[in-house]
Structure formats: structure tokens, C-alpha cells
């Protein structure tokens, strides 16, 4: 008796899972990253013992290195989240303007690099406290002088990294958002207002008109902060608007159903 060689082909079950659109995935990721960039706000309190009296901090009289370490960690997270926003957006923004999209990535990369440089100064102050303060032959006056120099380096680098560079980043992003209309126009308009205002404040701080933490400086930075935070929340909740750009991107990037 001949063996039955008929083999019934397996039944292919259609994939009914709901796939998230590529543009929605981008908007959700970028929104979360923008919210994460506000993680360094507590550093205003965490760094207070160092900024108030660097001498007493280095000599171990006041402050905690744990607070400094948490502050530095938050700034590192902010730097990485910042550059990630531009990188994640790039596949979409390059379709709007490759020059502006590359400029945004470059500006974010420079911003993150400067943030890393600034926090190295604070970590070096911590090393002075942990490894040199109180040891034989070490001059407290010399440690204090070094500490003031490192703190000044942090302050000026902070002005460049987290105050000046956001001007370039938000102008470029505002241009891309305004031109593409993938979010409500109010967002890029706030960016176009806030970025020049922050730039004017940075110039004033540079020439000594007021300190970087003065009420005027805080108010000047507020529109940029509102733009970035509100944009992040909007992208998490709503995502990008359906436009020919996003529809075309989804059509090209969406995996084909089996």
C-alpha cells in the first residue's frame, strides 16, 4: 500500500496586531526624551553647598558628595536625552530640510559635549575633597583656589551648554516644525520668540549685567522651557499631525503585512 504523500500546507493566520505608525513611534520617543531633559532642574538645590561656599565643601565642612553625584548624573542624562531628540527626529526632519536637520543634530551634539565638560569640573572638585583635603602637605588655600577655578569653569560652560546652545537648537527645530506643520503653529512661534529672548539674556550675562540665576535670567529662559516641555507633552499625548509628510513617511517606513 502506497504511503499517503499528501501534505496539507499550514494555514497562514493573518497578523491582526495593531502596528504603531512609524511617525507615532518617533513622536512618542521624542516627547519622552524632551520631558527627560528637565531632569537636571533639581541641580539648583543639589549644587547649592558648592556654589555657596566651595571652600567649606572641599574641606569637608559642609555639603554631601552624594548630592553632587546625583546632580551630575542628572546632567549626563539630560545631555544624552538632548542629543537623542535630534537623532530620533532626523529620519523625518531630513525630509523637511537636510541642512536644518543636520544642524540640529550638530547643535545637540555640541550641547551635550559642553555639558560633559562642565560636569567634569564638578567631579574634579569632588576629587579634591575626597582625595586631597586633610592630607599632609596639602594647602587648604591652594585647594580653595583650585575649587573656585573649577566652579568658574562649570558656570561659564553651563552658560554655553544649557543656555546658549538651546537658542540654536530651538531656532532650528522651530524652523523645521513651522515649515512642516506637523505640530500646531503655536509651538514654533513660541520658539521663535523665546530663542532670541534667551540669546539677549545670555549676552547680558556674558557682559556682567546680571547673574545667570537672577530673576531676569530665569524669566528670559522661561519661554524656551515652556516650548520644550509643552512640545514634549504634546508629542506624548497627541503626536504629529497627519500631513502629506507624515503620511508619506509612514507609507515608506511601515513594514508590509505578511
Amino acid at each position: 500500500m502506497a504511503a499517503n504523500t499528501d501534505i496539507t500546507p499550514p494555514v497562514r493566520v493573518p497578523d491582526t496586531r495593531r502596528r504603531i505608525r512609524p511617525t507615532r513611534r518617533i513622536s512618542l520617543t521624542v516627547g519622552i526624551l524632551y520631558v527627560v531633559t528637565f531632569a537636571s532642574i533639581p541641580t539648583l538645590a543639589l549644587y547649592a553647598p558648592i556654589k555657596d561656599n566651595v571652600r567649606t565643601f572641599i574641606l569637608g565642612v559642609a555639603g554631601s558628595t552624594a548630592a553632587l553625584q546625583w546632580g551630575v548624573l542628572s546632567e549626563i542624562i539630560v545631555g544624552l536625552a538632548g542629543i537623542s531628540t535630534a537623532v530620533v527626529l532626523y529620519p523625518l526632519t531630513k525630509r523637511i530640510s537636510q541642512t536644518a536637520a543636520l544642524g540640529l543634530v550638530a547643535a545637540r551634539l555640541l550641547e551635550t559635549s559642553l555639558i560633559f565638560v562642565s560636569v567634569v569640573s564638578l567631579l574634579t572638585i569632588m576629587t579634591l575633597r575626597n582625595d586631597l583635603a586633610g592630607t599632609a602637605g596639602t594647602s587648604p588655600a591652594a585647594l580653595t583656589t583650585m575649587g573656585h577655578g573649577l566652579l568658574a569653569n562649570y558656570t561659564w560652560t553651563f552658560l554655553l551648554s544649557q543656555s546658549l546652545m538651546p537658542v540654536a537648537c530651538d531656532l532650528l527645530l522651530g524652523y523645521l516644525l513651522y515649515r512642516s506643520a506637523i505640530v500646531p503653529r503655536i509651538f514654533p512661534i513660541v520658539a521663535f520668540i523665546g530663542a532670541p529672548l534667551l540669546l539677549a539674556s545670555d549676552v547680558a550675562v556674558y557682559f556682567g549685567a546680571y547673574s545667570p540665576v537672577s530673576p531676569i535670567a530665569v524669566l528670559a529662559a522661561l519661554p524656551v522651557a515652556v516650548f520644550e516641555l509643552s512640545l514634549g507633552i504634546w508629542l506624548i499625548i497627541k503626536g504629529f499631525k497627519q500631513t502629506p509628510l507624515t503620511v508619506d513617511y509612514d507609507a515608506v517606513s511601515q513594514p508590509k503585512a505578511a
Side-chain angles (χ1 to χ4, degrees):
M1 180 177 180
N4 186 5
T5 57
D6 293 337
I7 300 177
T8 303
V11 178
R12 187 182 294 271
V13 179
D15 187 357
T16 59
R17 292 175 299 176
R18 183 179 179 182
R19 292 190 177 95
I20 184 171
R21 289 180 288 107
T23 52
R24 181 61 183 131
R25 187 163 50 245
I26 291 175
S27 65
L28 183 61
T29 304
V30 171
I32 293 172
L33 288 169
Y34 261 110
V35 173
V36 170
T37 59
F38 286 81
S40 65
I41 291 178
T43 58
L44 297 173
L46 295 174
Y47 295 160
I50 303 175
K51 294 181 177 180
D52 292 344
N53 195 327
V54 68
R55 180 180 185 277
T56 57
F57 180 83
I58 291 177
L59 298 181
V61 178
S64 167
T65 58
L68 184 149
Q69 288 170 292
W70 281 110
V72 167
L73 179 60
S74 71
E75 291 202 71
I76 292 173
I77 292 173
V78 166
L80 295 176
I83 191 172
S84 297
T85 59
V87 172
V88 175
L89 276 171
Y90 182 75
L92 184 62
T93 54
K94 72 177 181 180
R95 292 168 171 255
I96 307 166
S97 169
Q98 189 166 26
T99 301
L102 283 172
L104 180 59
V105 173
R108 280 299 198 184
L109 177 60
L110 180 56
E111 177 186 21
T112 300
S113 300
L114 289 170
I115 290 174
F116 285 7
V117 170
S118 69
V119 298
V120 166
S121 297
L122 296 180
L123 292 175
T124 305
I125 292 176
M126 185 179 69
T127 300
L128 294 180
R129 171 183 169 133
N130 292 341
D131 297 348
L132 296 179
T135 60
T138 302
S139 168
L143 291 179
T144 301
T145 301
M146 294 176 64
H148 279 293
L150 291 166
L151 184 58
N153 182 73
Y154 172 80
T155 301
W156 285 112
T157 311
F158 180 91
L159 179 67
L160 295 174
S161 62
Q162 300 191 58
S163 193
L164 180 60
M165 289 311 303
V167 172
C169 294
D170 288 353
L171 283 176
L172 288 166
L173 180 59
Y175 167 76
L176 291 165
L177 295 178
Y178 187 86
R179 182 174 170 182
S180 62
I182 56 177
V183 296
R185 287 289 173 84
I186 185 62
F187 290 111
I189 290 174
V190 172
F192 293 149
I193 295 172
L197 185 61
L198 182 57
L199 176 60
S201 178
D202 290 340
V203 173
V205 170
Y206 176 76
F207 284 104
Y210 45 80
S211 73
V213 293
S214 67
I216 298 177
V218 174
L219 286 175
L222 189 58
V224 163
V226 169
F227 162 66
E228 295 188 357
L229 181 59
S230 60
L231 176 64
I233 294 173
W234 176 273
L235 292 178
I236 292 173
I237 298 174
K238 294 289 189 178
F240 296 128
K241 294 166 61 177
Q242 288 289 92
T243 67
L245 171 68
T246 57
V247 171
D248 180 67
Y249 183 87
D250 285 336
V252 173
S253 305
Q254 185 74 49
K256 298 293 188 277

